[in-house]
């Protein structure tokens, strides 16, 4: 389809996948990404292989970046932001590039692939941003990329005890985020497995409500790790710092009906996936109201012909699910363009 132009907003794994699939079918694709680098959150994730691949999907992102950058039908603008968009026969798009140069583009279809934002746990009682040794799962992903043995952020010692706290900002009525973020159980258990392999003397405790086993490979890793970490079904409470620099976690154990205090050297908060908003107010430009869940899905986009959404912008997904979804959306776009 050499005479068709598609704009993709977002250079994470879904945006890149959709761009590649459309480019292979000879569409011209312009992809705009607001950050300096491509890959989105998943581009920061670590490989979680131990003696074998953990099937986390992180390496797919690198592969997609290389393919998109080298494809002649794809033009990528980093640090770009949408300025205006309107629709008559086609979408008339204006955006600013990295150097504040204004660019115009006429697109036959637009895919919103703006990904997600991570829940900010600063207002939760776990001491994030108050205590250096309380980090998020995304912080840990970056740490594991650079450290063989995991070290405590405050003083660089090897932690003897690490606690993972699950469902931070997900399935949480106090912040009106009732959904499960789908990826954090899998990602935390894979990272726990990696730490267990690298830090031989570190004990890992996993505080959870339920373990969600999304993805066909998950159960294998869950069975593998569950005997090597302390799985604690509990309701975590406040975190305090003791005078000698440890973290005291209070938690309620429903099975025993009692409140417990326990010391840890590091705490990892598995933060939820929350909607990123609506791409520089783009939905409002088309007169679309805010989606009820905050995630603009297909149903929500339907009133505007030629407007599509892909990947985690529509709701929580693993990397492989986001790739599969983006491939399917690329086909929907092609079918739409064929009818034009
Ligand atoms: S899927 Fe994950 S664990 Fe396997 S090689 Fe790729 S990055 Fe490593
Ligand atoms: S995937 Fe696990 S940690 Fe994440 S929200 Fe769902 S149950 Fe909670």
């Amino acid at each position: 389809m050499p005479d068709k132009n598609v704009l993709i907003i977002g250079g994470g794994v879904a945006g890149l996948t959709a761009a590649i699939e459309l480019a292979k079918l000879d569409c011209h694709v312009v992809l705009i990404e607001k950050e300096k680098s491509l890959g989105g959150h998943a581009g920061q994730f670590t490989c979680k292989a131990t003696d074998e691949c953990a099937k986390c999907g992180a390496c797919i992102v690198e592969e997609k970046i290389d393919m998109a950058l080298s494809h002649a039908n794809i033009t990528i603008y980093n640090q770009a932001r949408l300025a205006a968009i309107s629709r008559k026969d086609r979408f008339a798009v204006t955006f600013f590039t990295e150097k504040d140069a204004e660019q115009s583009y006429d697109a036959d279809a637009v895919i919103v692939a703006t990904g997600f934002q991570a829940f900010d746990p600063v207002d939760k009682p776990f001491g994030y941003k108050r205590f250096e040794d309380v980090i998020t799962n995304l912080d840990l992903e970056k740490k594991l990329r650079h450290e063989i043995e995991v070290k405590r952020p405050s003083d660089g010692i090897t932690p003897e005890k690490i606690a993972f706290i699950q469902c931070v900002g997900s399935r949480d009525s106090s912040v009106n985020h009732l959904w499960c973020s789908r990826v954090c159980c899998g990602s935390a258990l894979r990272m726990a497995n990696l730490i267990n392999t690298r830090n031989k003397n570190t004990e890992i405790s996993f505080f959870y409500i339920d373990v969600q086993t999304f993805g066909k490979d998950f159960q294998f890793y869950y069975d593998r790790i569950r005997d090597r970490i302390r799985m604690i079904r509990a309701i975590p409470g406040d975190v305090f710092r003791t005078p000698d620099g440890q973290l005291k976690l209070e938690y309620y154990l429903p099975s025993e009906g009692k409140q417990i205090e326990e010391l840890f050297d590091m705490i990892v908060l598995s933060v939820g996936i929350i909607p990123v908003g609506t791409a520089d107010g783009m939905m409002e430009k088309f007169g679309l109201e805010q989606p009820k869940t905050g995630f603009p899905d297909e149903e929500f986009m339907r009133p505007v012909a030629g407007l599509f959404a892909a990947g985690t912008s529509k709701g929580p997904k693993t990397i492989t699910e986001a790739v599969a979804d983006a491939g399917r959306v690329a086909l929907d776009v092609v079918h739409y363009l064929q009818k034009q």
Side-chain angles (χ1 to χ4, degrees):
M1 309 185 78
D3 57 338
K4 298 295 183 188
N5 292 350
V6 180
L7 173 77
I8 297 181
I9 306 170
V13 70
L16 293 166
T17 302
I20 294 160
E21 295 307 314
L22 288 162
K24 282 185 199 162
L25 295 167
D26 288 335
C27 291
H28 293 288
V29 177
V30 163
L31 185 153
I32 58 173
E33 163 56 47
K34 68 178 171 34
E35 301 295 341
K36 241 182 192 169
S37 53
L38 297 169
H41 290 284
Q44 310 282 314
F45 291 178
T46 189
C47 170
K48 298 169 191 75
T50 50
D51 51 339
E52 61 188 328
C53 169
K55 303 199 174 153
C56 70
C59 53
I60 298 174
V61 185
E62 293 296 321
E63 186 191 315
K64 298 288 179 195
I65 292 172
D66 291 345
M67 287 169 79
L69 286 172
S70 59
H71 205 296
N73 289 347
I74 303 174
T75 307
I76 295 175
Y77 295 93
N78 295 71
Q79 290 180 280
R81 61 187 196 281
L82 192 67
I85 186 162
S86 59
R87 192 181 192 294
K88 284 191 182 154
D89 297 335
R90 303 172 94 190
F91 293 90
V93 182
T94 310
F95 58 93
F96 289 102
T97 66
E98 179 189 348
K99 297 189 176 84
D100 269 344
E102 192 175 307
Q103 292 268 349
S104 296
Y105 186 61
D106 288 333
D108 299 285
V110 173
I111 300 177
V112 177
T114 42
F116 68 94
Q117 51 180 325
F119 176 74
D120 182 350
V122 76
D123 294 327
K124 289 282 167 190
F126 306 129
Y128 186 65
K129 295 281 185 208
R130 276 188 295 133
F131 310 133
E132 227 183 315
D133 298 327
V134 179
I135 64 173
T136 68
N137 53 333
L138 301 180
D139 299 327
L140 183 63
E141 291 270 7
K142 289 181 209 155
K143 225 172 140 46
L144 287 168
R145 275 172 84 107
H146 305 294
E147 291 173 8
I148 301 295
E149 196 179 64
V150 175
K151 303 290 185 190
R152 191 160 79 163
S154 61
D155 55 10
I157 67 154
T158 304
E160 285 176 20
K161 288 180 71 174
I162 300 178
F164 282 77
I165 298 180
Q166 299 301 105
C167 297
V168 177
S170 305
R171 310 171 77 193
D172 182 348
S173 56
S174 71
V175 288
N176 201 24
H177 297 162
L178 301 181
W179 55 86
C180 167
S181 291
R182 296 179 61 89
V183 297
C184 13
C185 278
S187 128
L189 284 168
R190 284 175 170 93
M191 286 195 282
N193 187 39
L194 192 58
I195 295 169
N196 194 268
T197 311
R198 293 179 181 179
N199 291 32
K200 296 288 180 209
N201 298 317
T202 301
E203 180 189 76
I204 298 169
S205 304
F206 197 86
F207 291 89
Y208 71 102
I209 304 171
D210 286 309
V211 173
Q212 296 296 327
T213 55
F214 294 110
K216 65 181 168 53
D217 300 307
F218 181 88
Q219 192 63 43
F220 173 75
Y221 287 96
Y222 185 35
D223 292 343
R224 215 174 157 188
I225 185 78
R226 65 197 301 180
D227 295 334
R228 290 189 273 129
I229 62 177
R230 292 170 69 213
M231 298 294 294
I232 304 168
R233 192 170 202 168
I235 301 164
D238 292 347
V239 173
F240 303 94
R241 192 157 196 261
T242 65
D244 60 356
Q246 281 191 294
L247 298 164
K248 184 168 73 181
L249 170 66
E250 294 179 346
Y251 58 92
Y252 176 71
L253 214 49
S255 59
E256 295 184 17
K258 65 180 183 190
Q259 193 78 15
I260 293 178
E261 291 181 353
E262 190 173 344
L263 297 178
F264 293 96
D265 299 305
M266 246 178 89
I267 293 180
V268 181
L269 308 176
S270 284
V271 293
I273 284 179
I274 60 172
V276 78
T278 51
D280 299 329
M282 196 179 80
M283 304 306 154
E284 292 84 340
K285 285 171 185 147
F286 287 119
L288 298 170
E289 302 284 326
Q290 286 291 331
K292 278 196 188 75
T293 58
F295 294 105
D297 56 15
E298 275 110 345
E299 195 57 42
F300 175 78
M301 300 285 199
R302 194 152 294 146
V304 183
L307 184 60
F308 298 82
T312 318
S313 62
K314 293 191 290 191
K317 286 178 186 57
T318 63
I319 294 174
T320 46
E321 285 171 341
V323 167
D325 179 70
R328 189 183 55 73
V329 170
L331 285 181
D332 288 348
V333 171
V334 169
H335 291 148
Y336 166 78
L337 294 175
Q338 281 168 340
K339 287 189 204 145
Q340 299 309 297

